[in-house]
Amino acid sequence: MGISLYIHIPFCRQKCNYCDFNSGPFLPSDLDAYMSLLAQEAAIYHSEYGLLEIDTIFIGGGTPTVLEPHHILSMGEMLHTFFDLSSLKEFSFEANPESVTAEKATAFKQIGANRVSVGLQTANDDELFAISRIHDWQCFLSAFKTLRKAGFNNLNIDLMIGLPGQTAESYMSSLEKVLALEPEHISNYGLILEEGTPLANQLEQGLVTVLDGIQERDLYHKAYALLGERGYELYEISNFARDNKHCLHNENYWRCGEYAALGVGAHGYLNGERFENADTLTAYKHLLSIGERPIISHEPINLSEQEREYIMLGLRMKEGINTAEYQRRFDKDPNKVYQTVIEKYGKTGHLQHTKAGFALTVEGMDISNTIIVECFDCLDTILF
């Protein structure tokens, strides 16, 4: 896998009450200014790294579909000017239903996008209102049809388990509605209550209730069974695809590949070094104005840290840990390094051997954090 490129669009018409991403409201003039800033950062990348050959692109946010068609076309010009896209395999962008139009979809198509991830979260309008989404089911349906009509044949739909007021019945109803649309990919995330978000505060004050961990995992297993019946393969803890249409960009992350990053608050990993861009528009703009890359931190990732990340991210994937690849990267046999964990959780049915190495079972994914921590303990034993 080659290098990936992530571009962050930090603007939303309204911030969801569970969200702690780098995003917020904007003025129309902010979009023009931001596109100019992205081009400046891309030019600095080009001067520092040359013409990076990009395999996958992901435009996330925020809400990339708040951009107008002329912004999208200018982004395409920037990409072709400062990066080598000759081997581009996948070009995704995130879309919120209320801001999808035929003109925007066409513009994204014109600049080479071939995959869209649409944020539905739930097909229940009351649940959408409870998390401050500004679309309803009918709005989503219209957006989905618009994207299909524009020629996108690789669509992901985001769903969430554990929303305020959500029941097992309402969640399964949402899943059935999504399956009826036959998207190529479904992301099925559990709600994470991030500290300081409005929703977390509401829960703390007893104003809303959510499913407990056991109920959430029970729903996950019901979803797993139904998705399997309908031809969707689990390939990562929260991600299902049919016709092998995995998200290649995310797979590069999970395989500890390299990725460049543009935009406010974006994170990248190149040449063994992780970096973070300025997380405010003011700081980002200032650093670019003086001709500097807009990074506020960078750190080399040593081999020991790479090994931890490899086991943590690799075990998120259905294919798990590839013995030959692990040995190539770290000059160790993972079957020996993690022997106690493999034997312990193999007996309980949470880990299994594969043709290439070992992986979590679906049941093992329920306790993945516990297993990963015990793998880290194995590494610590070796190191110390």
Side-chain angles (χ1 to χ4, degrees), residues 237-273:
I237 286 179
S238 300
N239 289 277
F240 299 78
R242 63 185 178 95
D243 304 325
N244 204 38
K245 288 193 173 177
H246 300 184
C247 179
L248 302 181
H249 186 88
N250 285 341
E251 282 192 326
N252 188 43
Y253 290 158
W254 299 323
R255 289 173 177 151
C256 298
E258 293 191 306
Y259 50 99
L262 301 177
V264 173
H267 293 68
Y269 177 63
L270 288 173
N271 297 335
E273 183 175 84

PDB file of all heavy atoms in Angstrom, residues 237-273:
ATOM      1  N   ILE A 237     -13.717  -4.338  13.045  1.00  0.00           N
ATOM      2  CA  ILE A 237     -14.681  -4.399  14.145  1.00  0.00           C
ATOM      3  C   ILE A 237     -15.997  -3.685  13.836  1.00  0.00           C
ATOM      4  O   ILE A 237     -17.082  -4.192  14.120  1.00  0.00           O
ATOM      5  CB  ILE A 237     -14.060  -3.836  15.443  1.00  0.00           C
ATOM      6  CG1 ILE A 237     -13.055  -4.849  16.018  1.00  0.00           C
ATOM      7  CG2 ILE A 237     -15.127  -3.527  16.487  1.00  0.00           C
ATOM      8  CD1 ILE A 237     -12.371  -4.401  17.288  1.00  0.00           C
ATOM      9  N   SER A 238     -15.934  -2.509  13.216  1.00  0.00           N
ATOM     10  CA  SER A 238     -17.139  -1.714  12.989  1.00  0.00           C
ATOM     11  C   SER A 238     -17.539  -1.600  11.530  1.00  0.00           C
ATOM     12  O   SER A 238     -18.451  -0.835  11.210  1.00  0.00           O
ATOM     13  CB  SER A 238     -16.934  -0.298  13.556  1.00  0.00           C
ATOM     14  OG  SER A 238     -16.676  -0.332  14.937  1.00  0.00           O
ATOM     15  N   ASN A 239     -16.889  -2.346  10.641  1.00  0.00           N
ATOM     16  CA  ASN A 239     -17.093  -2.117   9.210  1.00  0.00           C
ATOM     17  C   ASN A 239     -17.423  -3.388   8.441  1.00  0.00           C
ATOM     18  O   ASN A 239     -16.762  -4.417   8.597  1.00  0.00           O
ATOM     19  CB  ASN A 239     -15.850  -1.453   8.618  1.00  0.00           C
ATOM     20  CG  ASN A 239     -15.716  -0.015   9.075  1.00  0.00           C
ATOM     21  OD1 ASN A 239     -16.327   0.879   8.508  1.00  0.00           O
ATOM     22  ND2 ASN A 239     -14.929   0.221  10.120  1.00  0.00           N
ATOM     23  N   PHE A 240     -18.438  -3.254   7.576  1.00  0.00           N
ATOM     24  CA  PHE A 240     -18.950  -4.370   6.791  1.00  0.00           C
ATOM     25  C   PHE A 240     -19.008  -3.952   5.321  1.00  0.00           C
ATOM     26  O   PHE A 240     -19.375  -2.819   5.003  1.00  0.00           O
ATOM     27  CB  PHE A 240     -20.364  -4.736   7.240  1.00  0.00           C
ATOM     28  CG  PHE A 240     -20.470  -5.180   8.673  1.00  0.00           C
ATOM     29  CD1 PHE A 240     -20.459  -4.262   9.716  1.00  0.00           C
ATOM     30  CD2 PHE A 240     -20.592  -6.528   8.982  1.00  0.00           C
ATOM     31  CE1 PHE A 240     -20.569  -4.668  11.041  1.00  0.00           C
ATOM     32  CE2 PHE A 240     -20.704  -6.949  10.298  1.00  0.00           C
ATOM     33  CZ  PHE A 240     -20.695  -6.020  11.334  1.00  0.00           C
ATOM     34  N   ALA A 241     -18.667  -4.867   4.435  1.00  0.00           N
ATOM     35  CA  ALA A 241     -18.690  -4.550   3.000  1.00  0.00           C
ATOM     36  C   ALA A 241     -19.203  -5.740   2.206  1.00  0.00           C
ATOM     37  O   ALA A 241     -19.052  -6.893   2.623  1.00  0.00           O
ATOM     38  CB  ALA A 241     -17.295  -4.167   2.515  1.00  0.00           C
ATOM     39  N   ARG A 242     -19.823  -5.458   1.082  1.00  0.00           N
ATOM     40  CA  ARG A 242     -20.170  -6.530   0.143  1.00  0.00           C
ATOM     41  C   ARG A 242     -19.348  -6.337  -1.128  1.00  0.00           C
ATOM     42  O   ARG A 242     -18.829  -5.251  -1.383  1.00  0.00           O
ATOM     43  CB  ARG A 242     -21.664  -6.545  -0.170  1.00  0.00           C
ATOM     44  CG  ARG A 242     -22.233  -5.340  -0.859  1.00  0.00           C
ATOM     45  CD  ARG A 242     -23.754  -5.481  -0.964  1.00  0.00           C
ATOM     46  NE  ARG A 242     -24.380  -4.322  -1.595  1.00  0.00           N
ATOM     47  CZ  ARG A 242     -24.673  -4.234  -2.886  1.00  0.00           C
ATOM     48  NH1 ARG A 242     -24.384  -5.234  -3.695  1.00  0.00           N
ATOM     49  NH2 ARG A 242     -25.251  -3.150  -3.368  1.00  0.00           N
ATOM     50  N   ASP A 243     -19.217  -7.400  -1.879  1.00  0.00           N
ATOM     51  CA  ASP A 243     -18.437  -7.369  -3.123  1.00  0.00           C
ATOM     52  C   ASP A 243     -17.007  -6.889  -2.884  1.00  0.00           C
ATOM     53  O   ASP A 243     -16.396  -6.257  -3.753  1.00  0.00           O
ATOM     54  CB  ASP A 243     -19.116  -6.471  -4.165  1.00  0.00           C
ATOM     55  CG  ASP A 243     -20.547  -6.894  -4.444  1.00  0.00           C
ATOM     56  OD1 ASP A 243     -20.802  -8.111  -4.425  1.00  0.00           O
ATOM     57  OD2 ASP A 243     -21.406  -6.018  -4.666  1.00  0.00           O
ATOM     58  N   ASN A 244     -16.499  -7.145  -1.683  1.00  0.00           N
ATOM     59  CA  ASN A 244     -15.105  -6.832  -1.329  1.00  0.00           C
ATOM     60  C   ASN A 244     -14.786  -5.336  -1.391  1.00  0.00           C
ATOM     61  O   ASN A 244     -13.630  -4.946  -1.553  1.00  0.00           O
ATOM     62  CB  ASN A 244     -14.136  -7.600  -2.239  1.00  0.00           C
ATOM     63  CG  ASN A 244     -12.775  -7.798  -1.617  1.00  0.00           C
ATOM     64  OD1 ASN A 244     -12.655  -8.031  -0.409  1.00  0.00           O
ATOM     65  ND2 ASN A 244     -11.733  -7.707  -2.420  1.00  0.00           N
ATOM     66  N   LYS A 245     -15.793  -4.476  -1.241  1.00  0.00           N
ATOM     67  CA  LYS A 245     -15.552  -3.036  -1.330  1.00  0.00           C
ATOM     68  C   LYS A 245     -15.181  -2.457   0.038  1.00  0.00           C
ATOM     69  O   LYS A 245     -15.908  -1.653   0.628  1.00  0.00           O
ATOM     70  CB  LYS A 245     -16.760  -2.330  -1.946  1.00  0.00           C
ATOM     71  CG  LYS A 245     -16.874  -2.616  -3.444  1.00  0.00           C
ATOM     72  CD  LYS A 245     -17.848  -1.711  -4.149  1.00  0.00           C
ATOM     73  CE  LYS A 245     -17.795  -1.927  -5.656  1.00  0.00           C
ATOM     74  NZ  LYS A 245     -18.768  -1.117  -6.404  1.00  0.00           N
ATOM     75  N   HIS A 246     -14.037  -2.894   0.525  1.00  0.00           N
ATOM     76  CA  HIS A 246     -13.495  -2.370   1.772  1.00  0.00           C
ATOM     77  C   HIS A 246     -13.094  -0.910   1.571  1.00  0.00           C
ATOM     78  O   HIS A 246     -12.838  -0.479   0.440  1.00  0.00           O
ATOM     79  CB  HIS A 246     -12.257  -3.158   2.201  1.00  0.00           C
ATOM     80  CG  HIS A 246     -12.505  -4.610   2.428  1.00  0.00           C
ATOM     81  ND1 HIS A 246     -11.528  -5.455   2.887  1.00  0.00           N
ATOM     82  CD2 HIS A 246     -13.612  -5.385   2.259  1.00  0.00           C
ATOM     83  CE1 HIS A 246     -12.010  -6.678   3.000  1.00  0.00           C
ATOM     84  NE2 HIS A 246     -13.270  -6.667   2.614  1.00  0.00           N
ATOM     85  N   CYS A 247     -13.002  -0.165   2.660  1.00  0.00           N
ATOM     86  CA  CYS A 247     -12.453   1.187   2.574  1.00  0.00           C
ATOM     87  C   CYS A 247     -10.931   1.080   2.564  1.00  0.00           C
ATOM     88  O   CYS A 247     -10.310   0.801   3.599  1.00  0.00           O
ATOM     89  CB  CYS A 247     -12.922   2.042   3.752  1.00  0.00           C
ATOM     90  SG  CYS A 247     -12.241   3.721   3.715  1.00  0.00           S
ATOM     91  N   LEU A 248     -10.321   1.277   1.406  1.00  0.00           N
ATOM     92  CA  LEU A 248      -8.874   1.112   1.273  1.00  0.00           C
ATOM     93  C   LEU A 248      -8.111   2.144   2.093  1.00  0.00           C
ATOM     94  O   LEU A 248      -7.026   1.857   2.616  1.00  0.00           O
ATOM     95  CB  LEU A 248      -8.477   1.226  -0.200  1.00  0.00           C
ATOM     96  CG  LEU A 248      -9.137   0.232  -1.163  1.00  0.00           C
ATOM     97  CD1 LEU A 248      -8.627   0.456  -2.582  1.00  0.00           C
ATOM     98  CD2 LEU A 248      -8.889  -1.200  -0.719  1.00  0.00           C
ATOM     99  N   HIS A 249      -8.665   3.348   2.207  1.00  0.00           N
ATOM    100  CA  HIS A 249      -8.006   4.406   2.965  1.00  0.00           C
ATOM    101  C   HIS A 249      -7.878   3.998   4.434  1.00  0.00           C
ATOM    102  O   HIS A 249      -6.790   4.087   5.019  1.00  0.00           O
ATOM    103  CB  HIS A 249      -8.801   5.700   2.838  1.00  0.00           C
ATOM    104  CG  HIS A 249      -8.130   6.880   3.458  1.00  0.00           C
ATOM    105  ND1 HIS A 249      -7.233   7.682   2.778  1.00  0.00           N
ATOM    106  CD2 HIS A 249      -8.207   7.403   4.708  1.00  0.00           C
ATOM    107  CE1 HIS A 249      -6.799   8.637   3.581  1.00  0.00           C
ATOM    108  NE2 HIS A 249      -7.373   8.495   4.760  1.00  0.00           N
ATOM    109  N   ASN A 250      -8.972   3.529   5.016  1.00  0.00           N
ATOM    110  CA  ASN A 250      -8.927   3.118   6.413  1.00  0.00           C
ATOM    111  C   ASN A 250      -8.064   1.881   6.604  1.00  0.00           C
ATOM    112  O   ASN A 250      -7.377   1.736   7.622  1.00  0.00           O
ATOM    113  CB  ASN A 250     -10.339   2.869   6.943  1.00  0.00           C
ATOM    114  CG  ASN A 250     -11.089   4.159   7.210  1.00  0.00           C
ATOM    115  OD1 ASN A 250     -10.484   5.225   7.343  1.00  0.00           O
ATOM    116  ND2 ASN A 250     -12.404   4.082   7.283  1.00  0.00           N
ATOM    117  N   GLU A 251      -8.073   0.988   5.629  1.00  0.00           N
ATOM    118  CA  GLU A 251      -7.208  -0.190   5.739  1.00  0.00           C
ATOM    119  C   GLU A 251      -5.743   0.215   5.804  1.00  0.00           C
ATOM    120  O   GLU A 251      -4.945  -0.424   6.508  1.00  0.00           O
ATOM    121  CB  GLU A 251      -7.450  -1.137   4.559  1.00  0.00           C
ATOM    122  CG  GLU A 251      -8.713  -1.959   4.701  1.00  0.00           C
ATOM    123  CD  GLU A 251      -8.811  -3.090   3.697  1.00  0.00           C
ATOM    124  OE1 GLU A 251      -8.328  -2.919   2.556  1.00  0.00           O
ATOM    125  OE2 GLU A 251      -9.361  -4.147   4.052  1.00  0.00           O
ATOM    126  N   ASN A 252      -5.379   1.269   5.103  1.00  0.00           N
ATOM    127  CA  ASN A 252      -4.002   1.746   5.195  1.00  0.00           C
ATOM    128  C   ASN A 252      -3.682   2.224   6.604  1.00  0.00           C
ATOM    129  O   ASN A 252      -2.589   1.976   7.122  1.00  0.00           O
ATOM    130  CB  ASN A 252      -3.766   2.881   4.187  1.00  0.00           C
ATOM    131  CG  ASN A 252      -2.310   3.285   4.111  1.00  0.00           C
ATOM    132  OD1 ASN A 252      -1.413   2.434   4.092  1.00  0.00           O
ATOM    133  ND2 ASN A 252      -2.046   4.580   4.079  1.00  0.00           N
ATOM    134  N   TYR A 253      -4.621   2.915   7.261  1.00  0.00           N
ATOM    135  CA  TYR A 253      -4.430   3.300   8.665  1.00  0.00           C
ATOM    136  C   TYR A 253      -4.224   2.065   9.540  1.00  0.00           C
ATOM    137  O   TYR A 253      -3.295   2.000  10.346  1.00  0.00           O
ATOM    138  CB  TYR A 253      -5.659   4.044   9.194  1.00  0.00           C
ATOM    139  CG  TYR A 253      -5.905   5.434   8.661  1.00  0.00           C
ATOM    140  CD1 TYR A 253      -7.188   5.988   8.726  1.00  0.00           C
ATOM    141  CD2 TYR A 253      -4.897   6.210   8.115  1.00  0.00           C
ATOM    142  CE1 TYR A 253      -7.448   7.270   8.265  1.00  0.00           C
ATOM    143  CE2 TYR A 253      -5.140   7.487   7.648  1.00  0.00           C
ATOM    144  CZ  TYR A 253      -6.425   8.019   7.723  1.00  0.00           C
ATOM    145  OH  TYR A 253      -6.673   9.287   7.263  1.00  0.00           O
ATOM    146  N   TRP A 254      -5.136   1.084   9.387  1.00  0.00           N
ATOM    147  CA  TRP A 254      -5.111  -0.089  10.260  1.00  0.00           C
ATOM    148  C   TRP A 254      -3.892  -0.958  10.020  1.00  0.00           C
ATOM    149  O   TRP A 254      -3.510  -1.751  10.894  1.00  0.00           O
ATOM    150  CB  TRP A 254      -6.395  -0.911  10.064  1.00  0.00           C
ATOM    151  CG  TRP A 254      -7.637  -0.144  10.404  1.00  0.00           C
ATOM    152  CD1 TRP A 254      -7.789   0.761  11.410  1.00  0.00           C
ATOM    153  CD2 TRP A 254      -8.908  -0.203   9.732  1.00  0.00           C
ATOM    154  NE1 TRP A 254      -9.066   1.265  11.407  1.00  0.00           N
ATOM    155  CE2 TRP A 254      -9.772   0.695  10.392  1.00  0.00           C
ATOM    156  CE3 TRP A 254      -9.387  -0.933   8.646  1.00  0.00           C
ATOM    157  CZ2 TRP A 254     -11.104   0.880   9.991  1.00  0.00           C
ATOM    158  CZ3 TRP A 254     -10.698  -0.750   8.255  1.00  0.00           C
ATOM    159  CH2 TRP A 254     -11.550   0.142   8.920  1.00  0.00           C
ATOM    160  N   ARG A 255      -3.271  -0.799   8.843  1.00  0.00           N
ATOM    161  CA  ARG A 255      -2.050  -1.559   8.563  1.00  0.00           C
ATOM    162  C   ARG A 255      -0.791  -0.737   8.831  1.00  0.00           C
ATOM    163  O   ARG A 255       0.298  -1.101   8.408  1.00  0.00           O
ATOM    164  CB  ARG A 255      -2.076  -2.042   7.110  1.00  0.00           C
ATOM    165  CG  ARG A 255      -3.105  -3.139   6.881  1.00  0.00           C
ATOM    166  CD  ARG A 255      -3.252  -3.499   5.428  1.00  0.00           C
ATOM    167  NE  ARG A 255      -4.195  -4.611   5.253  1.00  0.00           N
ATOM    168  CZ  ARG A 255      -4.938  -4.816   4.184  1.00  0.00           C
ATOM    169  NH1 ARG A 255      -4.866  -3.967   3.166  1.00  0.00           N
ATOM    170  NH2 ARG A 255      -5.752  -5.843   4.124  1.00  0.00           N
ATOM    171  N   CYS A 256      -0.990   0.378   9.512  1.00  0.00           N
ATOM    172  CA  CYS A 256       0.123   1.252   9.907  1.00  0.00           C
ATOM    173  C   CYS A 256       0.876   1.796   8.694  1.00  0.00           C
ATOM    174  O   CYS A 256       2.108   1.933   8.716  1.00  0.00           O
ATOM    175  CB  CYS A 256       1.090   0.522  10.844  1.00  0.00           C
ATOM    176  SG  CYS A 256       0.332   0.015  12.398  1.00  0.00           S
ATOM    177  N   GLY A 257       0.132   2.104   7.638  1.00  0.00           N
ATOM    178  CA  GLY A 257       0.729   2.717   6.461  1.00  0.00           C
ATOM    179  C   GLY A 257       0.959   4.203   6.667  1.00  0.00           C
ATOM    180  O   GLY A 257       0.544   4.790   7.668  1.00  0.00           O
ATOM    181  N   GLU A 258       1.617   4.828   5.698  1.00  0.00           N
ATOM    182  CA  GLU A 258       1.905   6.256   5.787  1.00  0.00           C
ATOM    183  C   GLU A 258       0.758   7.077   5.199  1.00  0.00           C
ATOM    184  O   GLU A 258       0.072   6.641   4.280  1.00  0.00           O
ATOM    185  CB  GLU A 258       3.199   6.574   5.039  1.00  0.00           C
ATOM    186  CG  GLU A 258       4.445   5.985   5.684  1.00  0.00           C
ATOM    187  CD  GLU A 258       5.712   6.549   5.063  1.00  0.00           C
ATOM    188  OE1 GLU A 258       5.831   6.468   3.831  1.00  0.00           O
ATOM    189  OE2 GLU A 258       6.561   7.068   5.807  1.00  0.00           O
ATOM    190  N   TYR A 259       0.581   8.274   5.745  1.00  0.00           N
ATOM    191  CA  TYR A 259      -0.455   9.164   5.220  1.00  0.00           C
ATOM    192  C   TYR A 259      -0.087  10.621   5.461  1.00  0.00           C
ATOM    193  O   TYR A 259       0.391  10.996   6.524  1.00  0.00           O
ATOM    194  CB  TYR A 259      -1.832   8.854   5.831  1.00  0.00           C
ATOM    195  CG  TYR A 259      -1.864   8.760   7.345  1.00  0.00           C
ATOM    196  CD1 TYR A 259      -2.286   9.836   8.132  1.00  0.00           C
ATOM    197  CD2 TYR A 259      -1.481   7.580   7.990  1.00  0.00           C
ATOM    198  CE1 TYR A 259      -2.325   9.738   9.509  1.00  0.00           C
ATOM    199  CE2 TYR A 259      -1.511   7.478   9.369  1.00  0.00           C
ATOM    200  CZ  TYR A 259      -1.937   8.555  10.132  1.00  0.00           C
ATOM    201  OH  TYR A 259      -1.976   8.464  11.501  1.00  0.00           O
ATOM    202  N   ALA A 260      -0.287  11.399   4.421  1.00  0.00           N
ATOM    203  CA  ALA A 260      -0.133  12.844   4.518  1.00  0.00           C
ATOM    204  C   ALA A 260      -1.457  13.429   4.994  1.00  0.00           C
ATOM    205  O   ALA A 260      -2.500  12.769   4.942  1.00  0.00           O
ATOM    206  CB  ALA A 260       0.247  13.421   3.162  1.00  0.00           C
ATOM    207  N   ALA A 261      -1.419  14.676   5.460  1.00  0.00           N
ATOM    208  CA  ALA A 261      -2.645  15.273   5.989  1.00  0.00           C
ATOM    209  C   ALA A 261      -2.624  16.779   5.788  1.00  0.00           C
ATOM    210  O   ALA A 261      -1.615  17.439   6.054  1.00  0.00           O
ATOM    211  CB  ALA A 261      -2.794  14.950   7.477  1.00  0.00           C
ATOM    212  N   LEU A 262      -3.738  17.304   5.299  1.00  0.00           N
ATOM    213  CA  LEU A 262      -3.895  18.740   5.091  1.00  0.00           C
ATOM    214  C   LEU A 262      -5.097  19.240   5.889  1.00  0.00           C
ATOM    215  O   LEU A 262      -6.105  18.545   6.007  1.00  0.00           O
ATOM    216  CB  LEU A 262      -4.154  19.057   3.615  1.00  0.00           C
ATOM    217  CG  LEU A 262      -3.133  18.636   2.566  1.00  0.00           C
ATOM    218  CD1 LEU A 262      -3.653  18.996   1.169  1.00  0.00           C
ATOM    219  CD2 LEU A 262      -1.795  19.292   2.810  1.00  0.00           C
ATOM    220  N   GLY A 263      -4.971  20.448   6.429  1.00  0.00           N
ATOM    221  CA  GLY A 263      -6.115  21.088   7.058  1.00  0.00           C
ATOM    222  C   GLY A 263      -5.973  21.261   8.558  1.00  0.00           C
ATOM    223  O   GLY A 263      -5.089  20.689   9.210  1.00  0.00           O
ATOM    224  N   VAL A 264      -6.861  22.073   9.099  1.00  0.00           N
ATOM    225  CA  VAL A 264      -6.874  22.371  10.532  1.00  0.00           C
ATOM    226  C   VAL A 264      -7.046  21.084  11.335  1.00  0.00           C
ATOM    227  O   VAL A 264      -7.956  20.294  11.083  1.00  0.00           O
ATOM    228  CB  VAL A 264      -8.015  23.342  10.873  1.00  0.00           C
ATOM    229  CG1 VAL A 264      -8.146  23.524  12.376  1.00  0.00           C
ATOM    230  CG2 VAL A 264      -7.785  24.681  10.207  1.00  0.00           C
ATOM    231  N   GLY A 265      -6.149  20.868  12.306  1.00  0.00           N
ATOM    232  CA  GLY A 265      -6.274  19.732  13.206  1.00  0.00           C
ATOM    233  C   GLY A 265      -5.985  18.383  12.595  1.00  0.00           C
ATOM    234  O   GLY A 265      -6.149  17.351  13.265  1.00  0.00           O
ATOM    235  N   ALA A 266      -5.552  18.339  11.340  1.00  0.00           N
ATOM    236  CA  ALA A 266      -5.300  17.052  10.683  1.00  0.00           C
ATOM    237  C   ALA A 266      -4.040  16.394  11.250  1.00  0.00           C
ATOM    238  O   ALA A 266      -3.093  17.076  11.650  1.00  0.00           O
ATOM    239  CB  ALA A 266      -5.153  17.253   9.177  1.00  0.00           C
ATOM    240  N   HIS A 267      -4.048  15.072  11.287  1.00  0.00           N
ATOM    241  CA  HIS A 267      -2.911  14.289  11.768  1.00  0.00           C
ATOM    242  C   HIS A 267      -2.342  13.466  10.616  1.00  0.00           C
ATOM    243  O   HIS A 267      -3.098  12.882   9.829  1.00  0.00           O
ATOM    244  CB  HIS A 267      -3.333  13.331  12.880  1.00  0.00           C
ATOM    245  CG  HIS A 267      -3.751  14.004  14.148  1.00  0.00           C
ATOM    246  ND1 HIS A 267      -4.906  14.760  14.239  1.00  0.00           N
ATOM    247  CD2 HIS A 267      -3.175  14.041  15.377  1.00  0.00           C
ATOM    248  CE1 HIS A 267      -5.018  15.229  15.475  1.00  0.00           C
ATOM    249  NE2 HIS A 267      -3.980  14.804  16.178  1.00  0.00           N
ATOM    250  N   GLY A 268      -1.005  13.393  10.548  1.00  0.00           N
ATOM    251  CA  GLY A 268      -0.357  12.619   9.501  1.00  0.00           C
ATOM    252  C   GLY A 268       0.754  11.751  10.041  1.00  0.00           C
ATOM    253  O   GLY A 268       1.161  11.863  11.208  1.00  0.00           O
ATOM    254  N   TYR A 269       1.278  10.886   9.177  1.00  0.00           N
ATOM    255  CA  TYR A 269       2.365   9.986   9.548  1.00  0.00           C
ATOM    256  C   TYR A 269       3.203   9.707   8.311  1.00  0.00           C
ATOM    257  O   TYR A 269       2.773   9.014   7.387  1.00  0.00           O
ATOM    258  CB  TYR A 269       1.793   8.678  10.115  1.00  0.00           C
ATOM    259  CG  TYR A 269       2.826   7.637  10.466  1.00  0.00           C
ATOM    260  CD1 TYR A 269       3.782   7.877  11.451  1.00  0.00           C
ATOM    261  CD2 TYR A 269       2.834   6.399   9.817  1.00  0.00           C
ATOM    262  CE1 TYR A 269       4.733   6.920  11.770  1.00  0.00           C
ATOM    263  CE2 TYR A 269       3.771   5.430  10.128  1.00  0.00           C
ATOM    264  CZ  TYR A 269       4.722   5.696  11.113  1.00  0.00           C
ATOM    265  OH  TYR A 269       5.674   4.741  11.438  1.00  0.00           O
ATOM    266  N   LEU A 270       4.393  10.306   8.281  1.00  0.00           N
ATOM    267  CA  LEU A 270       5.293  10.162   7.143  1.00  0.00           C
ATOM    268  C   LEU A 270       6.731   9.974   7.622  1.00  0.00           C
ATOM    269  O   LEU A 270       7.154  10.601   8.597  1.00  0.00           O
ATOM    270  CB  LEU A 270       5.230  11.406   6.244  1.00  0.00           C
ATOM    271  CG  LEU A 270       3.976  11.621   5.399  1.00  0.00           C
ATOM    272  CD1 LEU A 270       4.037  12.986   4.717  1.00  0.00           C
ATOM    273  CD2 LEU A 270       3.812  10.513   4.360  1.00  0.00           C
ATOM    274  N   ASN A 271       7.455   9.125   6.910  1.00  0.00           N
ATOM    275  CA  ASN A 271       8.880   8.915   7.210  1.00  0.00           C
ATOM    276  C   ASN A 271       9.130   8.592   8.677  1.00  0.00           C
ATOM    277  O   ASN A 271      10.092   9.073   9.289  1.00  0.00           O
ATOM    278  CB  ASN A 271       9.695  10.148   6.802  1.00  0.00           C
ATOM    279  CG  ASN A 271       9.634  10.413   5.320  1.00  0.00           C
ATOM    280  OD1 ASN A 271       9.398   9.508   4.521  1.00  0.00           O
ATOM    281  ND2 ASN A 271       9.832  11.671   4.925  1.00  0.00           N
ATOM    282  N   GLY A 272       8.248   7.771   9.262  1.00  0.00           N
ATOM    283  CA  GLY A 272       8.427   7.349  10.644  1.00  0.00           C
ATOM    284  C   GLY A 272       8.127   8.416  11.674  1.00  0.00           C
ATOM    285  O   GLY A 272       8.461   8.252  12.854  1.00  0.00           O
ATOM    286  N   GLU A 273       7.483   9.500  11.253  1.00  0.00           N
ATOM    287  CA  GLU A 273       7.188  10.602  12.176  1.00  0.00           C
ATOM    288  C   GLU A 273       5.703  10.946  12.136  1.00  0.00           C
ATOM    289  O   GLU A 273       5.125  11.116  11.065  1.00  0.00           O
ATOM    290  CB  GLU A 273       8.018  11.831  11.800  1.00  0.00           C
ATOM    291  CG  GLU A 273       7.842  13.001  12.742  1.00  0.00           C
ATOM    292  CD  GLU A 273       8.758  14.165  12.412  1.00  0.00           C
ATOM    293  OE1 GLU A 273       8.395  14.969  11.535  1.00  0.00           O
ATOM    294  OE2 GLU A 273       9.837  14.265  13.022  1.00  0.00           O
TER     295      GLU A 273
END
